[in-house]
Amino acid sequence: MEPENELIAQRREKLEALRARGVEPFGRAFQTLGSIAEVRHAFKEGESLRAAGRITAHRDMGKSHFVDVRDATGRIQAYFHEKEVGAEAMEIFNLLDLGDFIGVEGVCFLTKTGEPTLKVRKFEVLAKSLRPPPEKWHGLQDVEARYRQRYVDLVANEQSRETFQKRIAIVREIRRFLEDRGFAEVETPILQTVAGGAAAAPFSTHHKALGLDLYLRIAPELYLKRLLVGGFTKVFELNRNFRNEGISRKHNPEFTMLEVYWAYADFEKMADLIEELICNVAEKICGSLEIEHRDVDGEMVRTINLKRPWRRARYVDLVREVAGKDWFNISSEQRRARASGELKLEILPQLADFEVTQHVFEKLVEEKTFDPLFVTHCPKELVPLAKQNAADSSLVDVYELIINGVEMSPGYTELNDPDVQRQRLLEQAGEETQKIDEDFLLALEHGMPPAGGFGLGIDRLAMLFTGAESIRDVILFPLLKPKRD
RNA sequence: GCACCGUUAGCUCAAUUGGCAGAGCAAGUGACUCUUAAUCACUGGGUUAUAGGUUCAAGUCCUAUACGGUGCACCA
């Protein structure tokens, strides 16, 4: 138990003082008209309304008191005066603090400055806050505290509330968009016996009753494809993936991914679909296809232009643009020398040739591209679940959509030949053949229709639309090490 | 895993070359019947993240630890 500070002790004294007066400081249900936003909407001079929320400001004028009552949807001013509530209730009022929840019933009126206000007739204490809130003007600035105690961040910081409201709206609009086009939302296993569909390290767990080692999924892809085998033609899943990898500004161990599969389509049709989807969401969320990112001082950092059509370019052409026209004609040694010399990249000796090129691509194309860019016809080694290109089997029919300097969405023409799929997975797995999902290959042998599919990183999309610099700013409770004293 | 930076009152921030740890908000008391970051007066509040070290003297220098931030590595 931490030593109690003066402010907490005072609040506990008030808590007991309330009880001594027969007032339960942790109240019960309180009928209101609705959220504070709804109360403000219903505001009409002379009408009596009921609202509930947290006290976030108190302006004491002696006999008159003005109090801000707030919830996640907004703020409304309440006016307290002994003449309206009586002397006994004012004694209760004096035992309230910033942060306490109250329910009020009062008459709508406009102050002389025009502020919509409830003239309180009756009020109830709904919950006492035993901890003082952060500074009212600057809010909670400490980054660590904002992540660990998101509830305090949400109470104190308008910007944080806006960010998460936007994220909620993004997810809602994506679901609506896909539902409108006949895609069915499905749920596939998060606990998997083989963690397939991507190459990341999984989290391990264990089922006691079955004595079975399991993994948290790193991707839903292989199960969604089983549904194509089963006859579904338009499906999506929007849920959490888990990857046991490093944490960064762009990576959280659990993150939200949308995956969409469409039978008889291909990667180009999927590119059209994601373009339409993201533009649709942008219009709804930001009201514009020009997304402005600003720093903490409100200075413009960049504008991202989502106006269609989005640029589509081949992987090799993009690499040539940054690494030289002759990049693919020179020797492996020359490429490594150029990458670590002229291009100033760190190239580890154990990298395979295609990984050296991929490194150049990631550092010099991906991280520097902010407006949407579809990168097409990637080398097949990078994407073992996509169909090879008919004209050049060293390439796959895919796009990688880059926006805001990150990989936002991969889209494939899905590989549906079970024998080729087995071969590609074996090449990928190397020694670790136990990682092959045999049941998935069995499903493909039953016949999977040609199909297009895409993934969409929801956290990264939320970063795009909110201008957040870190993925932790768009995840309500990002993973942190537990704090110990 | 590696490197650099940060951690001062409940919160937001100061503290010069190593020389008495300060302010605003919040809190307490008092004044004020329309305030909007209300205003005015007074008061209380600190083991400077933790553990050591150097020094006459450490928030400041050194070592270690914890947590966080950023970058690198990892992540088809």
Side-chain angles (χ1 to χ4, degrees):
Chain A
M1 198 60 186
E2 62 190 287
E4 198 158 85
N5 83 41
E6 184 194 354
L7 298 174
I8 296 172
Q10 283 167 2
R11 282 168 181 255
R12 286 196 174 274
E13 281 167 25
K14 291 180 183 176
L15 180 81
E16 292 314 318
L18 284 169
R19 289 197 168 120
R21 284 164 195 277
V23 174
E24 171 49 46
F26 299 100
R28 295 182 183 281
F30 183 83
Q31 183 74 41
T32 68
L33 182 110
S35 69
I36 302 252
E38 288 169 315
V39 168
R40 281 194 84 108
H41 188 72
F43 187 90
K44 194 176 166 201
E45 276 185 273
E47 295 268 305
S48 183
L49 295 178
R50 287 163 70 87
R54 200 188 275 275
I55 299 172
T56 56
H58 175 207
R59 293 174 289 280
D60 178 358
M61 302 294 302
K63 285 180 179 151
S64 291
H65 298 260
F66 291 91
V67 156
D68 286 348
V69 180
R70 140 158 266 157
D71 67 14
T73 68
R75 176 200 77 94
I76 191 156
Q77 180 168 265
Y79 172 81
F80 287 81
H81 194 286
E82 190 175 315
K83 238 164 45 187
E84 304 291 333
V85 297
E88 208 173 307
M90 279 319 276
E91 285 177 24
I92 305 296
F93 176 80
N94 287 328
L95 294 172
L96 296 179
D97 286 300
L98 297 187
D100 293 354
F101 280 93
I102 57 167
V104 301
E105 178 181 322
V107 178
C108 300
F109 80 108
L110 293 176
T111 64
K112 70 178 186 192
T113 52
E115 174 87 21
T117 303
L118 296 177
K119 186 180 287 180
V120 176
R121 286 213 181 115
K122 284 191 277 185
F123 69 92
E124 283 179 32
V125 183
L126 300 181
K128 185 85 191 145
S129 170
L130 298 175
R131 302 268 172 168
E135 215 256 1
K136 65 183 173 190
W137 188 242
H138 298 93
L140 184 65
Q141 295 297 317
D142 183 82
V143 177
E144 185 178 349
R146 288 184 46 226
Y147 297 155
R148 283 191 199 283
Q149 296 183 278
R150 182 67 85 187
Y151 43 92
V152 179
D153 178 44
L154 289 167
V155 170
N157 297 333
E158 173 71 26
Q159 218 210 328
S160 183
R161 287 194 291 273
E162 277 175 17
T163 295
F164 289 105
Q165 291 294 353
K166 267 192 181 176
R167 182 182 172 130
I168 289 164
I170 289 165
V171 170
R172 182 173 54 230
E173 290 305 329
I174 289 172
R175 287 206 160 95
R176 184 173 297 163
F177 177 93
L178 291 167
E179 292 288 342
D180 285 349
R181 282 156 186 80
F183 287 87
E185 180 165 10
V186 297
E187 294 172 272
T188 67
I190 287 175
L191 293 175
Q192 302 182 346
T193 50
V194 181
F203 288 93
S204 307
T205 185
H206 186 80
H207 189 273
K208 277 196 275 187
L210 296 181
L212 185 62
D213 288 329
L214 292 166
Y215 302 97
L216 300 188
R217 74 171 176 206
I218 55 177
E221 176 155 355
L222 304 188
Y223 281 91
L224 292 169
K225 284 179 171 171
R226 284 169 169 92
L227 295 179
L228 294 176
V229 172
F232 281 87
T233 57
K234 292 173 131 184
V235 293
F236 73 98
E237 181 159 14
L238 202 173
N239 213 319
R240 219 74 61 82
N241 288 343
F242 307 84
R243 296 189 182 176
N244 205 342
E245 305 284 353
I247 294 178
S248 82
R249 222 159 50 79
K250 298 169 184 173
H251 301 84
N252 194 62
E254 53 180 303
F255 61 102
T256 303
M257 181 83 124
L258 167 71
E259 287 203 12
V260 177
Y261 290 86
W262 188 358
Y264 319 118
D266 62 9
F267 84 98
E268 287 181 311
K269 206 161 170 181
M270 298 316 282
D272 293 339
L273 186 67
I274 189 96
E275 212 177 280
E276 202 187 338
L277 168 62
I278 291 177
C279 287
N280 192 285
V281 173
E283 298 268 20
K284 294 258 171 58
I285 304 304
C286 302
S288 168
L289 293 178
E290 286 182 25
I291 311 299
E292 294 177 351
H293 286 182
R294 294 171 185 277
D295 64 17
V296 283
D297 304 314
E299 295 296 314
M300 190 82 81
V301 179
R302 68 179 69 89
T303 301
I304 294 169
N305 186 356
L306 300 181
K307 286 214 175 88
R308 300 170 77 180
W310 294 350
R311 184 182 175 204
R312 300 187 188 195
R314 287 176 165 249
Y315 182 85
V316 290
D317 293 336
L318 291 163
V319 172
R320 285 192 188 108
E321 279 178 26
V322 296
K325 285 196 173 65
D326 57 349
W327 178 262
F328 293 100
N329 305 327
I330 60 181
S331 71
S332 169
E333 288 68 32
Q334 286 172 311
R335 277 198 291 270
R336 283 162 202 266
R338 184 183 294 176
S340 47
E342 208 180 318
L343 301 177
K344 295 179 182 149
L345 299 177
E346 203 181 324
I347 302 295
L348 299 174
Q350 71 267 28
L351 288 186
D353 263 8
F354 76 91
E355 289 173 319
V356 172
T357 300
Q358 176 64 6
H359 196 70
V360 169
F361 171 80
E362 282 172 6
K363 293 292 166 190
L364 300 179
V365 180
E366 184 173 295
E367 290 186 12
K368 294 182 182 346
T369 300
F370 292 89
D371 288 348
L373 169 64
F374 284 112
V375 182
T376 64
H377 300 89
C378 299
K380 70 168 183 181
E381 293 84 357
L382 296 174
V383 197
L385 297 166
K387 194 185 275 281
Q388 278 145 288
N389 185 263
D392 181 347
S393 66
S394 73
L395 304 177
V396 278
D397 281 341
V398 302
Y399 74 73
E400 292 287 348
L401 173 60
I402 297 163
I403 315 179
N404 198 23
V406 295
E407 186 191 331
M408 188 69 73
S409 164
Y412 307 165
T413 296
E414 302 297 345
L415 175 51
N416 64 340
D417 178 329
D419 297 333
V420 175
Q421 181 66 87
R422 174 178 295 279
Q423 196 49 44
R424 298 273 296 284
L425 287 175
L426 283 171
E427 285 164 12
Q428 185 69 32
E431 301 295 296
E432 304 173 282
T433 48
Q434 77 282 6
K435 284 189 179 172
I436 305 280
D437 187 338
E438 287 294 339
D439 182 74
F440 166 64
L441 291 171
L442 176 62
L444 288 192
E445 288 179 18
H446 281 269
M448 185 181 98
F454 71 64
L456 175 63
I458 301 301
D459 311 278
R460 290 175 176 184
L461 189 71
M463 289 170 72
L464 167 67
F465 288 136
T466 59
E469 289 292 321
S470 168
I471 196 167
R472 294 177 207 102
D473 293 326
V474 299
I475 292 174
L476 281 167
F477 300 101
L479 184 66
L480 298 183
K481 279 195 188 181
K483 189 116 177 164
R484 54 188 187 110
D485 327 83

